[in-house]
mmCIF file of all heavy atoms in Angstrom:
data_model
loop_
_atom_site.group_PDB
_atom_site.id
_atom_site.type_symbol
_atom_site.label_atom_id
_atom_site.label_comp_id
_atom_site.label_asym_id
_atom_site.label_seq_id
_atom_site.Cartn_x
_atom_site.Cartn_y
_atom_site.Cartn_z
ATOM 1 N N GLU J 826 192.156 -9.761 128.340
ATOM 2 C CA GLU J 826 192.517 -11.124 128.724
ATOM 3 C C GLU J 826 191.333 -12.075 128.575
ATOM 4 O O GLU J 826 191.483 -13.217 128.121
ATOM 5 C CB GLU J 826 193.040 -11.133 130.156
ATOM 6 C CG GLU J 826 194.414 -10.497 130.314
ATOM 7 C CD GLU J 826 194.849 -10.400 131.760
ATOM 8 O OE1 GLU J 826 194.023 -10.733 132.641
ATOM 9 O OE2 GLU J 826 195.994 -9.998 132.020
ATOM 10 N N SER J 827 190.142 -11.601 128.946
ATOM 11 C CA SER J 827 188.945 -12.449 128.817
ATOM 12 C C SER J 827 188.622 -12.702 127.353
ATOM 13 O O SER J 827 188.289 -13.840 126.957
ATOM 14 C CB SER J 827 187.759 -11.781 129.526
ATOM 15 O OG SER J 827 188.013 -11.625 130.902
ATOM 16 N N ILE J 828 188.720 -11.661 126.522
ATOM 17 C CA ILE J 828 188.486 -11.822 125.080
ATOM 18 C C ILE J 828 189.482 -12.824 124.500
ATOM 19 O O ILE J 828 189.126 -13.691 123.691
ATOM 20 C CB ILE J 828 188.618 -10.469 124.358
ATOM 21 C CG1 ILE J 828 187.394 -9.588 124.633
ATOM 22 C CG2 ILE J 828 188.778 -10.664 122.850
ATOM 23 C CD1 ILE J 828 186.144 -10.002 123.902
ATOM 24 N N ALA J 829 190.732 -12.716 124.912
ATOM 25 C CA ALA J 829 191.765 -13.606 124.385
ATOM 26 C C ALA J 829 191.497 -15.058 124.769
ATOM 27 O O ALA J 829 191.672 -15.975 123.956
ATOM 28 C CB ALA J 829 193.140 -13.168 124.900
ATOM 29 N N GLU J 830 191.051 -15.295 126.003
ATOM 30 C CA GLU J 830 190.780 -16.661 126.447
ATOM 31 C C GLU J 830 189.645 -17.287 125.653
ATOM 32 O O GLU J 830 189.737 -18.434 125.196
ATOM 33 C CB GLU J 830 190.452 -16.660 127.938
ATOM 34 C CG GLU J 830 191.664 -16.410 128.839
ATOM 35 C CD GLU J 830 191.305 -16.535 130.306
ATOM 36 O OE1 GLU J 830 190.504 -17.422 130.644
ATOM 37 O OE2 GLU J 830 191.813 -15.734 131.111
ATOM 38 N N ILE J 831 188.555 -16.546 125.498
ATOM 39 C CA ILE J 831 187.419 -17.094 124.742
ATOM 40 C C ILE J 831 187.795 -17.297 123.277
ATOM 41 O O ILE J 831 187.417 -18.294 122.651
ATOM 42 C CB ILE J 831 186.198 -16.163 124.871
ATOM 43 C CG1 ILE J 831 185.662 -16.204 126.298
ATOM 44 C CG2 ILE J 831 185.107 -16.558 123.887
ATOM 45 C CD1 ILE J 831 184.417 -15.398 126.519
ATOM 46 N N SER J 832 188.549 -16.358 122.714
ATOM 47 C CA SER J 832 188.955 -16.478 121.308
ATOM 48 C C SER J 832 189.833 -17.699 121.092
ATOM 49 O O SER J 832 189.745 -18.359 120.055
ATOM 50 C CB SER J 832 189.685 -15.211 120.864
ATOM 51 O OG SER J 832 188.837 -14.088 120.963
ATOM 52 N N ASN J 833 190.681 -18.002 122.061
ATOM 53 C CA ASN J 833 191.499 -19.207 121.944
ATOM 54 C C ASN J 833 190.637 -20.462 121.937
ATOM 55 O O ASN J 833 190.917 -21.424 121.211
ATOM 56 C CB ASN J 833 192.513 -19.269 123.087
ATOM 57 C CG ASN J 833 193.646 -18.278 122.915
ATOM 58 O OD1 ASN J 833 193.940 -17.876 121.793
ATOM 59 N ND2 ASN J 833 194.267 -17.872 124.009
ATOM 60 N N LEU J 834 189.583 -20.463 122.755
ATOM 61 C CA LEU J 834 188.661 -21.606 122.749
ATOM 62 C C LEU J 834 187.948 -21.727 121.410
ATOM 63 O O LEU J 834 187.636 -22.825 120.960
ATOM 64 C CB LEU J 834 187.629 -21.445 123.876
ATOM 65 C CG LEU J 834 188.154 -21.610 125.312
ATOM 66 C CD1 LEU J 834 187.044 -21.276 126.303
ATOM 67 C CD2 LEU J 834 188.679 -23.014 125.550
ATOM 68 N N LEU J 835 187.688 -20.573 120.768
ATOM 69 C CA LEU J 835 186.982 -20.563 119.484
ATOM 70 C C LEU J 835 187.936 -20.606 118.296
ATOM 71 O O LEU J 835 187.493 -20.546 117.152
ATOM 72 C CB LEU J 835 186.107 -19.301 119.390
ATOM 73 C CG LEU J 835 185.029 -19.149 120.462
ATOM 74 C CD1 LEU J 835 184.310 -17.819 120.303
ATOM 75 C CD2 LEU J 835 184.039 -20.297 120.405
ATOM 76 N N ASN J 836 189.243 -20.681 118.568
ATOM 77 C CA ASN J 836 190.266 -20.747 117.514
ATOM 78 C C ASN J 836 190.226 -19.512 116.613
ATOM 79 O O ASN J 836 190.297 -19.612 115.385
ATOM 80 C CB ASN J 836 190.084 -22.017 116.668
ATOM 81 C CG ASN J 836 191.333 -22.353 115.872
ATOM 82 O OD1 ASN J 836 192.440 -22.013 116.266
ATOM 83 N ND2 ASN J 836 191.157 -23.008 114.748
ATOM 84 N N ILE J 837 190.122 -18.345 117.239
ATOM 85 C CA ILE J 837 190.137 -17.072 116.516
ATOM 86 C C ILE J 837 191.374 -16.291 116.949
ATOM 87 O O ILE J 837 191.667 -16.178 118.136
ATOM 88 C CB ILE J 837 188.868 -16.244 116.806
ATOM 89 C CG1 ILE J 837 187.615 -17.005 116.346
ATOM 90 C CG2 ILE J 837 188.930 -14.895 116.098
ATOM 91 C CD1 ILE J 837 186.318 -16.313 116.731
ATOM 92 N N LYS J 838 192.105 -15.732 115.980
ATOM 93 C CA LYS J 838 193.297 -14.942 116.279
ATOM 94 C C LYS J 838 192.888 -13.499 116.573
ATOM 95 O O LYS J 838 192.263 -12.852 115.729
ATOM 96 C CB LYS J 838 194.281 -14.998 115.113
ATOM 97 C CG LYS J 838 194.788 -16.397 114.791
ATOM 98 C CD LYS J 838 195.736 -16.361 113.605
ATOM 99 C CE LYS J 838 196.303 -17.741 113.300
ATOM 100 N NZ LYS J 838 195.283 -18.675 112.812
ATOM 101 N N VAL J 839 193.240 -13.011 117.751
ATOM 102 C CA VAL J 839 192.858 -11.657 118.175
ATOM 103 C C VAL J 839 194.015 -10.700 117.906
ATOM 104 O O VAL J 839 195.173 -10.982 118.249
ATOM 105 C CB VAL J 839 192.485 -11.633 119.670
ATOM 106 C CG1 VAL J 839 192.090 -10.224 120.092
ATOM 107 C CG2 VAL J 839 191.338 -12.603 119.934
ATOM 108 N N LEU J 840 193.688 -9.555 117.287
ATOM 109 C CA LEU J 840 194.679 -8.538 116.959
ATOM 110 C C LEU J 840 194.360 -7.246 117.707
ATOM 111 O O LEU J 840 193.188 -6.910 117.911
ATOM 112 C CB LEU J 840 194.693 -8.253 115.456
ATOM 113 C CG LEU J 840 194.758 -9.458 114.512
ATOM 114 C CD1 LEU J 840 194.738 -8.982 113.079
ATOM 115 C CD2 LEU J 840 195.998 -10.286 114.777
ATOM 116 N N ALA J 841 195.401 -6.520 118.100
ATOM 117 C CA ALA J 841 195.254 -5.190 118.697
ATOM 118 C C ALA J 841 195.762 -4.181 117.679
ATOM 119 O O ALA J 841 196.887 -4.299 117.189
ATOM 120 C CB ALA J 841 196.037 -5.094 119.998
ATOM 121 N N GLU J 842 194.936 -3.183 117.346
ATOM 122 C CA GLU J 842 195.300 -2.258 116.290
ATOM 123 C C GLU J 842 195.736 -0.900 116.844
ATOM 124 O O GLU J 842 195.245 -0.420 117.855
ATOM 125 C CB GLU J 842 194.125 -2.050 115.326
ATOM 126 C CG GLU J 842 192.932 -1.337 115.932
ATOM 127 C CD GLU J 842 191.912 -0.927 114.882
ATOM 128 O OE1 GLU J 842 192.302 -0.240 113.929
ATOM 129 O OE2 GLU J 842 190.739 -1.288 115.033
ATOM 130 N N ASN J 843 196.688 -0.299 116.138
ATOM 131 C CA ASN J 843 197.089 1.088 116.365
ATOM 132 C C ASN J 843 197.395 1.381 117.834
ATOM 133 O O ASN J 843 196.859 2.311 118.421
ATOM 134 C CB ASN J 843 196.003 2.032 115.843
ATOM 135 C CG ASN J 843 196.513 3.433 115.638
ATOM 136 O OD1 ASN J 843 197.725 3.653 115.559
ATOM 137 N ND2 ASN J 843 195.603 4.378 115.560
ATOM 138 N N VAL J 844 198.255 0.566 118.424
ATOM 139 C CA VAL J 844 198.680 0.800 119.804
ATOM 140 C C VAL J 844 199.682 1.960 119.791
ATOM 141 O O VAL J 844 200.761 1.852 119.203
ATOM 142 C CB VAL J 844 199.318 -0.466 120.412
ATOM 143 C CG1 VAL J 844 199.714 -0.210 121.859
ATOM 144 C CG2 VAL J 844 198.352 -1.646 120.306
ATOM 145 N N GLN J 845 199.337 3.056 120.458
ATOM 146 C CA GLN J 845 200.109 4.286 120.317
ATOM 147 C C GLN J 845 201.352 4.312 121.203
ATOM 148 O O GLN J 845 202.445 4.608 120.751
ATOM 149 C CB GLN J 845 199.213 5.492 120.651
ATOM 150 C CG GLN J 845 198.011 5.645 119.726
ATOM 151 C CD GLN J 845 198.410 6.051 118.315
ATOM 152 O OE1 GLN J 845 199.483 6.607 118.104
ATOM 153 N NE2 GLN J 845 197.554 5.756 117.349
ATOM 154 N N LYS J 846 201.202 4.010 122.459
ATOM 155 C CA LYS J 846 202.293 4.196 123.412
ATOM 156 C C LYS J 846 203.178 2.949 123.495
ATOM 157 O O LYS J 846 202.703 1.824 123.385
ATOM 158 C CB LYS J 846 201.728 4.515 124.793
ATOM 159 C CG LYS J 846 200.897 5.792 124.832
ATOM 160 C CD LYS J 846 200.338 6.020 126.227
ATOM 161 C CE LYS J 846 199.476 7.282 126.262
ATOM 162 N NZ LYS J 846 198.886 7.509 127.602
ATOM 163 N N ASP J 847 204.471 3.211 123.715
ATOM 164 C CA ASP J 847 205.408 2.097 123.855
ATOM 165 C C ASP J 847 205.061 1.207 125.037
ATOM 166 O O ASP J 847 205.167 -0.023 124.961
ATOM 167 C CB ASP J 847 206.831 2.642 124.022
ATOM 168 C CG ASP J 847 207.337 3.324 122.760
ATOM 169 O OD1 ASP J 847 206.783 3.028 121.682
ATOM 170 O OD2 ASP J 847 208.265 4.141 122.854
ATOM 171 N N GLU J 848 204.619 1.834 126.133
ATOM 172 C CA GLU J 848 204.279 1.060 127.325
ATOM 173 C C GLU J 848 203.098 0.140 127.059
ATOM 174 O O GLU J 848 203.082 -1.021 127.501
ATOM 175 C CB GLU J 848 203.952 1.999 128.496
ATOM 176 C CG GLU J 848 205.113 2.851 128.971
ATOM 177 C CD GLU J 848 205.336 4.072 128.085
ATOM 178 O OE1 GLU J 848 204.522 4.268 127.147
ATOM 179 O OE2 GLU J 848 206.299 4.813 128.319
#
Side-chain angles (χ1 to χ4, degrees):
E826 289 175 354
S827 298
I828 286 286
E830 287 185 38
I831 291 184
S832 298
N833 286 335
L834 290 174
L835 300 176
N836 198 27
I837 299 174
K838 299 179 178 67
V839 180
L840 311 179
E842 67 169 305
N843 198 18
V844 182
Q845 298 291 338
K846 299 178 181 178
D847 292 339
E848 295 80 4

